[in-house]
Structure formats: C-alpha cells, structure tokens
Amino acid sequence: MILTFLAIAMITIFIVVLAKKKLSIFGALTLIPLIFGIIATFVNKVPLTDMFEWIKTGLFYSVNAETGKVSMGVISPAIVILFAVLYFGVMLNVGLFDPLCEFFIKKAKGDPLKVTVATVLTSLVVTMNGDTTTTIIICVAAFIELWKQMKMNLLYLAVIIVTPIGIFNQLPWGGPTIAASTAMGVEISTLFAALLPGLLVAAVYAVIMAYIIGLKERKRLNFDPKDAKDVSPETIQGMLNAIRDNEPELKRPKMWWFNLIMTLAILAMLIMDIAHGGILFMLGAAIALTANYRSSKLVTERLDALAADSLAPALATLAAGVFSGILTGSGMATALAEGITKIIPEALGTHMAPIYAIISAPAITFLPQDAFYFGIASVMAGVMGQFGITPDQAAVASMVGQAFRLISPVIPALYMLCEYTEINFVDFQKGYIKFAWPILFIYIIVYGITGVMPL
C-alpha cells in the first residue's frame, strides 16, 4: 500500500513540476525519483546502497533469475540518440534535406494544410521500421526547417510525427506486441492479425487529424487557398532562400548523392537489424564528417557546434533510466500494477475487456513496458479467463492503451522531440491527448466489430 502511494506521488509530482517548469527535464527525471528512492529504501528496510543498484539496472540491464530474460535499460537508446542526433545534425548542415524542403515549399505554395498532410504521410512510412527514436529523428530533420520557415506551430509538428508512431509500434517487430505476446502466451502472428484492422483505421484517422490541424493553421496564419495563386514568385523565392542561405558555408551540394546513398544504406541496415543503431550512426557520423569537411580542424569545429544538440537529449535519456530504475527496482511499479488490477471488478464478467482496456491506459503510459505486460496484463489474462475471455482476446485488450503510450515519461526519444520543437513535455502531452484521444475508441469499436475483443 505504501509503495503504491509512493509510486502515484512520484509520478504526480514529476508531472506537476514539469508543468510548472520548476525543474529541467534532466533535474525532474533524476532528483524526484532520487528522493522517493531514498524513502523506498526505508519502507523496504534495505540498505541505501540498494538504490544505486536500482539505478544501475535502469541504466544498463537486468536479468531475470528464473527465465534468464534480459530487460535492457536506457543505455541502448541513449547511444542511438547521441549518435543519430549527431549524424542528422551533420546531414542538416550539409544540405541533405534541402531539396525535400524546397519541394514541399514549391508544392505547398505557403499552404499549411499541404505541409501537415505531407508530414503525417512521411511519418506513416518511416515508422514502419518500428523504431520510435529513428522515426522522430528523420521526420524532425526533414520538416522542422520548413515548419519554422512557414511559422507553423511546432507543437502540431510533434503531435503529427508521434501519432503514427503510437499506431505502428504495434507491428510484429515492435516492442509492445512482442512483450504482450510473450507475457500472455499468444502467437505474435495471431495477435498482429487481430490488431491490424484497428491499426489501419487509426492510420486513416491520423491523416484526417493532420488535415484538421492543417485547416487550423490555415486559419491562424490567415492563409486562403483561393489566393494561393497570388503568392508571388518573390515570396516563394524568399522561403527557398531561407533554406539555401542557412549557413551556406557548411553546405556540400556536390556531396548530395554520396550523403543520400549513405543515409539510405544506414536506414536499410537499421531496418534489417544488421547492427545496433548506435553503431551505425556513430560510424556514419565519422564518415560523414570526414568526407564532407576533410580538414580535421573543420571536423572538430562541427563536433563542438553539434555537441549541445546531441548532449541534451542523450542526458534526458540517461536520466530516464534513474526514473524507471527506481520505479521498478524499489517495487513501486509492481505495487502500482497490483493496485490497478484490483480496481477492475470481477463482477463485470464479459464486459471486463473494454473496461480493462480503458482503465489500463494510464498504466501503459506511466509504467515501463515490461512492468505493465508482465505485471498487469499477464495477471488480468487469468482473471478474464474465468469469464470466458480467451488469452488472445485479453492480449488485444491489453494493446488498446497503446493509443496513449507515446506520451509516456519513460520514453526517452520524446524528450529529444521536445528539445527539437522547443516545447514543454507536459504541453506536448496535452497536445497529443487533445488530438489523438479518438484512437483509443477507434481500437475498441473496430476490435468489437471484428470480434477479436468482446464488448
């Protein structure tokens, strides 16, 4: 009971402190769990030094003594983020994405609606790789300069990029689907086949959402599509020049094909899982810097200039390991999981699936993924089984809350996204919920119609 209270208090204070901007994201992710971790050692009657082991597990990895299953900490995504941000920072400097931005400027003719739709379609395609970090990095690198040039709301950019990720992280090679399949003992192919109709309808909604946001931006920016033809060539040229004249001394147009082919090769190897993303982007950054700038003096200057952009999200990622490590290692995550399980009345019988799906959404959002699926979902599968709900149907219900997973404070890449788009993390959460909440009910309705989750 005490650990459950501590977990709720820690999460609540974390959100409030960020919302009121009392601490930086790095400070909030480390200092708040540090305080609660110290309290938890007294509650658990264990040495204070145990807290450092919890943090170590959150940062690096842990091994289940019974199953031998390895649960990775945040060190892996931190390395990916560090070198991916560095790599794409170089690519932005050399002008790799300039032609893409120029293409959309010419086609959009100042129309925010066309830009929002282009952004969501790109995110839908890129997110098929199943990696949240990579999708965010690529989409932000491709579109942020265009959005800034058109003075569009960067909060909307963050929401539009993340919404498709929240949908297609449920592909067979995505973490949630693998965790649900393993924890609940169902075939991953069977689970994905059941989820697919809901994912496709949600993807259509993502495009509609981007269209609605585009209309809102049209109104805010006083853009009238009927007057699009009146956008002068000089205005378009001014927008293009803002891209072309951005640090022209760093651009390497003659190296464009080399940079494009190398980037596509890295992404292909990433998708094919030939090597860890951190390794690919580290080697790619070294090659890109050397090939484009040749002089060791120039390379050192670029590293110094890009260090701040790379360091901030990497620090936030590592700090997230403190948060998740203390939450899980102290037993707070398990206690919270058990507490949420007790909320759902067994008397609801066959109606438990959709109710469980809705109530469990906050748990999916705030708990580490393994803690939810192996702690709550596996337990609830047995409870629901008493009322004739099969493990496959229970697994589908456990995936519904993924509609809100992409506002989780334990997803490191989201802090990088907020750094890029210059928005507060809590503001991002509010914006995402405002536009993406219908996805939760899309899943429930579609799964009810297809019969894969009893209503």
Side-chain angles (χ1 to χ4, degrees), residues 100-123 139 142-154 156-157 160-161 207 209-215 217-218 221 223 239:
L100 181 65
C101 290
E102 291 179 13
F103 172 80
F104 283 121
I105 287 173
K106 292 175 182 176
K107 291 296 181 182
K109 289 182 168 44
D111 189 347
L113 175 61
K114 294 180 180 179
V115 174
T116 56
V117 172
T119 303
V120 77
L121 291 176
T122 303
S123 182
C139 291
F143 286 100
I144 194 164
E145 291 303 322
L146 176 59
W147 278 64
K148 285 182 176 179
Q149 177 60 28
M150 293 181 63
K151 296 180 172 57
M152 295 174 66
N153 189 336
L154 295 184
Y156 294 153
L157 172 62
I160 288 174
I161 289 175
V207 177
M209 181 195 75
Y211 186 89
I212 293 171
I213 289 175
L215 292 177
E217 285 295 86
R218 269 184 177 179
L221 297 170
F223 179 87
M239 296 175 70

Side-chain angles (χ1 to χ4, degrees), residues 62 87 93-94 100 122 140 164 182 187 202 256 284 305 307 350 355 359 393 401-402:
S62 63
Y87 179 83
N93 288 158
V94 300
L100 181 65
T122 303
V140 170
T182 304
E187 287 291 332
W256 190 82
T350 56
I355 295 173
I359 293 178
Q393 292 171 330
Q402 288 294 328

Side-chain angles (χ1 to χ4, degrees), residues 397-413:
S398 74
M399 297 294 284
V400 170
Q402 288 294 328
F404 291 116
R405 176 66 180 170
L406 264 292
I407 60 168
S408 173
V410 297
I411 297 180

